[in-house]
Amino acid sequence: DTEVTQTPKHLVMGMTNKKSLKCEQHMGHRAMYWYKQKAKKPPELMFVYSYEKLSINESVPSRFSPECPNSSLLNLHLHALQPEDSALYLCASSQAGGNQPQHFGDGTRLSIL
Amino acid sequence: KQEVTQIPAALSVPEGENLVLNCSFTDSAIYNLQWFRQDPGKGLTSLLLIQSSQREQTSGRLNASLDKSSGRSTLYIAASQPGDSATYLCAARNDMRFGAGTRLTVKP
């Protein structure tokens, strides 16, 4: 069982919908990450939060809006997505600092109609 | 910008073989290098993390080495089993760039 929990596991939404992806960890980690993974491709970093503050935004379009309400939770708010945004969205967490291992959830598989 | 390459892209071996997966990176200023496995439709499972000051790490049948000067890491899997079948990814930890992975199939 993974220690990083992501919900929902699957999400189908239209291009005009608003939805949110959720990620939760109870390992006391103070860094949390969002990745996007297209089929048969490696994960690509989207956002990094460190101590609940956004520290890295890899030039992600504004239709993706991250939020870190507390040290255990990470959300990704979605609005007006495009079909090319269909992918597996992975959340990860680690102790703060670049030399700590990252632990991943099982992801949310997102399909945009 | 860090570029990470994994060779081979796919590998099929009979059960019991020892095998080596390769990972190369262009920027040697890394904090560490982390190896993962990914089963189809699943997230990533961390296997080993080698700090930049270390040369290798071992966990069970897995051994990972790191040579920063040459920009290379290898993952050695001993006595492979069908349950080892998965995609193996390496990630260079300065800006968390992943290689495209090696898809491993171990045949019974």
Side-chain angles (χ1 to χ4, degrees):
Chain A
D1 286 338
T2 181
E3 296 170 320
V4 177
T5 303
Q6 291 188 242
T7 56
K9 293 190 185 303
H10 303 275
L11 179 62
V12 179
M13 58 187 287
M15 290 189 285
T16 58
N17 293 154
K18 287 185 181 181
K19 297 285 185 183
S20 297
L21 309 184
K22 295 185 184 301
C23 174
E24 188 169 6
Q25 57 87 15
H26 294 289
M27 295 180 281
H29 291 167
R30 301 307 298 272
M32 297 186 76
Y33 312 79
W34 280 116
Y35 291 84
K36 174 182 178 180
Q37 186 178 25
K38 301 283 282 185
K40 299 190 185 302
K41 298 289 187 182
E44 294 180 346
L45 184 65
M46 300 174 71
F47 302 105
V48 180
Y49 274 82
S50 181
Y51 294 95
E52 296 91 68
K53 295 192 187 312
L54 183 65
S55 60
I56 294 177
N57 176 342
E58 292 282 357
S59 303
V60 179
S62 60
R63 58 186 184 269
F64 295 91
S65 176
E67 178 196 22
C68 190
N70 61 57
S71 60
S72 300
L73 292 174
L74 184 66
N75 298 320
L76 186 62
H77 303 297
L78 313 174
H79 174 56
L81 295 193
Q82 304 297 309
E84 61 265 27
D85 297 322
S86 298
L88 181 67
Y89 287 84
L90 294 163
C91 172
S93 71
S94 73
Q95 298 287 357
N99 61 348
Q100 300 298 320
Q102 293 192 10
H103 301 264
F104 281 77
D106 280 340
T108 294
R109 185 159 301 282
L110 176 65
S111 298
I112 307 300
L113 301 179
Chain B
K1 186 174 172 178
Q2 180 76 273
E3 298 290 335
V4 182
T5 305
Q6 290 188 246
I7 294 173
L11 182 63
S12 180
V13 300
E15 182 176 4
E17 270 203 11
N18 302 324
L19 55 99
V20 175
L21 308 181
N22 297 291
C23 172
S24 61
F25 48 94
T26 55
D27 183 356
S28 62
I30 60 173
Y31 303 133
N32 53 53
L33 190 133
Q34 193 167 0
W35 282 93
F36 299 87
R37 70 173 278 169
Q38 186 171 30
D39 294 286
K42 296 289 190 180
L44 279 65
T45 300
S46 179
L47 298 173
L48 289 164
L49 180 142
I50 313 175
Q51 301 292 355
S52 61
S53 59
Q54 297 174 320
R55 297 283 293 184
E56 64 179 76
Q57 280 287 329
T58 298
S59 176
R61 294 182 294 107
L62 305 179
N63 176 275
S65 67
L66 176 65
D67 184 344
K68 276 182 56 177
S69 61
S70 66
R72 286 193 282 189
S73 176
T74 60
L75 180 67
Y76 175 82
I77 303 177
S80 58
Q81 303 170 357
D84 295 330
S85 298
T87 296
Y88 290 78
L89 296 151
C90 65
R93 300 286 303 279
N94 37 9
D95 54 358
M96 201 61 185
R97 299 288 171 186
F98 282 84
T102 295
R103 190 170 66 254
L104 173 66
T105 303
V106 181
K107 300 176 188 176

